[in-house]
Amino acid sequence: MKKTSLLILFLAAIQFCFAQNPLVTHMFTADPTARVFDGKLYVYPSSDTYPPAGREKEFPRFCMPGYHAFSLENGSTWKDHGWILKENDVPWGDKDTYAMWAPDCIKKGDTYYYYYPAKPKDGTSFRRIGVGTSKNPTGPFKWEKSYIKGISGIDPGLFVDDNDKGYLYFGGGKELFVAPLKDNMKEISAEPIKVEGLPAGYKEGSFAFKKDGIYYFTFAHVFPDEGYTIGYATAKNPLGPFTYQGKIMDNIGNGTNHHSIVKYNDQWILFYHWWDISGYNKLRSMRADYITFKKDGTIKKVTPTIRGIGIPKIGDTIQIDRYNEISKANIAFVGGENEPNGWMVCDTKMMGFVKFNKVDFGNGEATKIEARVASGQRTGSFEIRLGNPKGKLIATFPIEYTGGWSSWKTIEADITEKVTGIKNIVVVFKSDWGSEKAVNLNWLKLK
Ligand code: FUB
């Protein structure tokens, strides 16, 4: 685990974060279930934390204290709504067990139902699944006094069909299960059955959705020689039988691969997790990338990016270090008091560039662009171009000495062309050929 990065992470305790990957940096978040409620995108992750002092040996695996919820407030900013449920507030839960694994939240009618696993104090199972209700997507939730009877296991994945019938998928092991729910969404209406048609091997992280009349069932799937992948299967009925279709994501070395898939603003998005910040697979960070369906309904494999999703607009901070493409430059985490939070583009060599896709220039109102920079040298410039490193030049920043490579300053340049709509931007670094690096760049902002 990189201690410096972790220290920086906690110094960087902020409420609002950017939609590039990882989605939030002020806490560890895993197992993200994304949902769109009334046109707004929410994410319901679990959270990872350090074991309490003196109890480190008890938590060789996950140490998970409870749940926050997040919403996307504009194209690029996540809002943290704080604690939804803490482990010691589970009415039927064992205390101080840090066993709050992957949750889910779903809406039926005008009610939001939040499902979570916890360790029951009656000792009847490794995990039971509880539920709470609210009229608000981020709570407060009224928690049921007891867990859902007739099921035990991890990873609740909810699905409500067009006819309002609810289904609860769950489990972790060689088999996964599904149970239809009563109208109240708090009780099962029939015995759980095995999800038929899945390949052999360990599976968990059930997530179901419907697209063009096809029921998709997605799951984290372990291949003995590869490790965790994300697989999917399809069916004509939410109870199956399903037909395995292949992988959505290969193993990316992320330990587990809990995920969810949602359609937001006409684009399908895969949410998953990795350990970008901690370097340790029990301290995870949620991420998101676009996912594409082929004409026949099958899914193209997703390659994780650090650009992620979200379209910054005029006035939003463009985290240029969450790039789509980079050449002759690096990125590094930077933070601490009086420092920018997050990452920076650094080691910017002559003619190095960084490309950031999808920035919304609106109707062309932006006349200026700001940049947060640090430089220990005083020659050269960096240019903002459209599309590619030789594309149309729209702004030029002369490089100034700011006091050193970690002395940050916000500078401004004119936008010299009227630019409208959504464009890909490229920052091209120009220093003396003799100069080791041109400038450190934290973010850009259209004004
Ligand atoms: O986060 C704890 C457990 O690890 C989840 O419940 C699983 O899906 C896996 O991600």
Side-chain angles (χ1 to χ4, degrees):
M1 196 185 325
K2 289 168 201 149
K3 283 194 175 145
T4 335
S5 305
L6 291 171
L7 177 68
I8 286 165
L9 169 77
F10 286 106
L11 288 171
I14 47 171
Q15 284 282 304
F16 296 94
C17 310
F18 305 100
Q20 292 87 48
N21 287 326
L23 301 188
V24 301
T25 55
H26 64 293
M27 63 181 289
F28 295 113
T29 50
D31 306 321
T33 300
R35 298 283 178 195
V36 174
F37 295 134
D38 301 321
K40 190 162 175 160
L41 182 56
Y42 294 86
V43 189
Y44 299 90
S46 57
S47 65
D48 288 331
T49 192
Y50 299 99
R55 296 187 63 194
E56 292 82 358
K57 287 204 179 122
E58 284 177 58
F59 296 99
R61 281 177 62 74
F62 304 107
C63 184
M64 307 185 69
Y67 310 112
H68 281 224
F70 297 84
S71 60
L72 190 60
E73 289 304 305
N74 54 43
S76 65
T77 305
W78 289 102
K79 182 177 178 186
D80 181 352
H81 294 270
W83 288 105
I84 295 294
L85 176 62
K86 289 187 189 170
E87 59 151 354
N88 286 344
D89 295 335
V90 174
W92 48 268
D94 211 356
K95 302 288 176 214
D96 300 321
T97 50
Y98 294 85
M100 309 298 278
W101 287 15
D104 195 358
C105 182
I106 201 153
K107 186 180 185 190
K108 187 178 143 185
D110 62 354
T111 304
Y112 297 87
Y113 297 84
Y114 192 102
Y115 298 80
Y116 63 94
K119 187 165 185 286
K121 64 181 168 210
D122 64 13
T124 50
S125 176
F126 174 66
R127 294 284 183 278
R128 293 281 192 172
I129 293 172
V131 59
T133 53
S134 177
K135 294 292 174 201
N136 187 316
T138 54
F141 287 86
K142 186 169 180 295
W143 304 107
E144 291 297 303
K145 292 274 174 289
S146 188
Y147 48 76
I148 300 175
K149 298 287 181 328
I151 57 168
S152 66
I154 61 167
D155 293 356
L158 277 295
F159 173 68
V160 176
D161 208 347
D162 303 331
N163 60 6
D164 259 6
K165 267 207 90 39
Y167 298 86
L168 170 56
Y169 299 85
F170 63 96
K174 287 187 182 150
E175 291 172 351
L176 299 174
F177 298 91
V178 55
L181 292 170
K182 288 188 183 168
D183 262 0
N184 66 13
M185 298 288 279
K186 297 173 188 169
E187 294 169 278
I188 58 173
S189 63
E191 285 293 302
I193 57 167
K194 180 180 157 189
V195 180
E196 294 286 357
L198 306 184
Y202 180 85
K203 296 174 277 292
E204 62 183 16
S206 300
F207 184 82
F209 64 97
K210 188 177 183 181
K211 179 180 180 291
D212 301 329
I214 301 172
Y215 295 87
Y216 288 78
F217 179 72
T218 70
F219 50 96
H221 181 204
V222 178
F223 286 95
D225 53 348
E226 187 183 355
Y228 271 91
T229 65
I230 302 176
Y232 76 108
T234 53
K236 291 189 181 132
N237 184 305
L239 293 172
F242 286 84
T243 305
Y244 179 60
Q245 300 287 356
K247 288 189 281 182
I248 296 173
M249 188 180 269
D250 289 327
N251 180 269
I252 56 166
N254 53 352
T256 65
N257 216 337
H258 199 104
H259 62 281
S260 57
I261 293 171
V262 75
K263 189 179 186 187
Y264 174 65
N265 276 351
D266 267 342
Q267 279 186 294
W268 288 89
I269 304 170
L270 173 74
F271 286 76
Y272 59 102
H273 59 220
W274 204 42
W275 64 72
D276 304 60
I277 300 170
S278 70
Y280 175 52
N281 68 12
K282 304 295 178 292
L283 292 172
R284 298 161 290 180
S285 296
M286 58 179 175
R287 306 174 121 245
D289 273 300
Y290 292 114
I291 185 170
T292 313
F293 288 81
K294 296 184 200 160
K295 280 205 177 99
D296 63 2
T298 57
I299 299 175
K300 276 195 188 168
K301 257 194 225 168
V302 177
T303 305
T305 74
I306 59 171
R307 166 63 180 86
I309 60 160
I311 303 181
K313 304 186 299 297
I314 297 171
D316 289 339
T317 305
I318 303 164
Q319 291 297 137
I320 196 79
D321 43 73
R322 313 283 82 198
Y323 56 82
N324 288 87
E325 208 180 321
I326 194 164
S327 170
K328 293 193 201 161
N330 282 318
I331 60 159
F333 199 82
V334 56
E337 255 174 272
N338 306 319
E339 300 290 338
N341 296 312
W343 279 261
M344 63 175 168
V345 179
C346 56
D347 302 329
T348 50
K349 302 273 182 297
M350 176 64 168
M351 297 312 286
F353 72 85
V354 56
K355 181 178 180 197
F356 187 101
N357 287 348
K358 293 192 178 169
V359 174
D360 190 353
F361 283 79
N363 295 322
E365 308 91 325
T367 54
K368 306 251 182 225
I369 182 164
E370 274 184 355
R372 184 78 173 155
V373 295
S375 177
Q377 63 97 35
R378 60 193 79 235
T379 59
S381 61
F382 61 97
E383 300 170 342
I384 313 296
R385 291 179 177 268
L386 296 183
N388 66 70
K390 292 187 177 157
K392 184 181 270 181
L393 177 68
I394 62 164
T396 305
F397 289 89
I399 291 173
E400 300 168 9
Y401 177 70
T402 62
W405 293 105
S406 52
S407 292
W408 293 89
K409 192 174 169 186
T410 303
I411 57 176
E412 190 177 271
D414 290 333
I415 296 181
T416 52
E417 299 282 332
K418 182 172 163 111
V419 188
T420 58
I422 294 169
K423 296 285 184 305
N424 300 339
I425 59 169
V426 183
V427 185
V428 183
F429 301 98
K430 295 191 167 170
S431 58
D432 270 351
W433 285 104
S435 229
E436 267 292 285
K437 47 192 179 180
V439 70
N440 289 344
L441 178 58
N442 185 222
W443 50 252
L444 297 173
K445 193 184 282 179
L446 299 177
K447 286 175 72 184

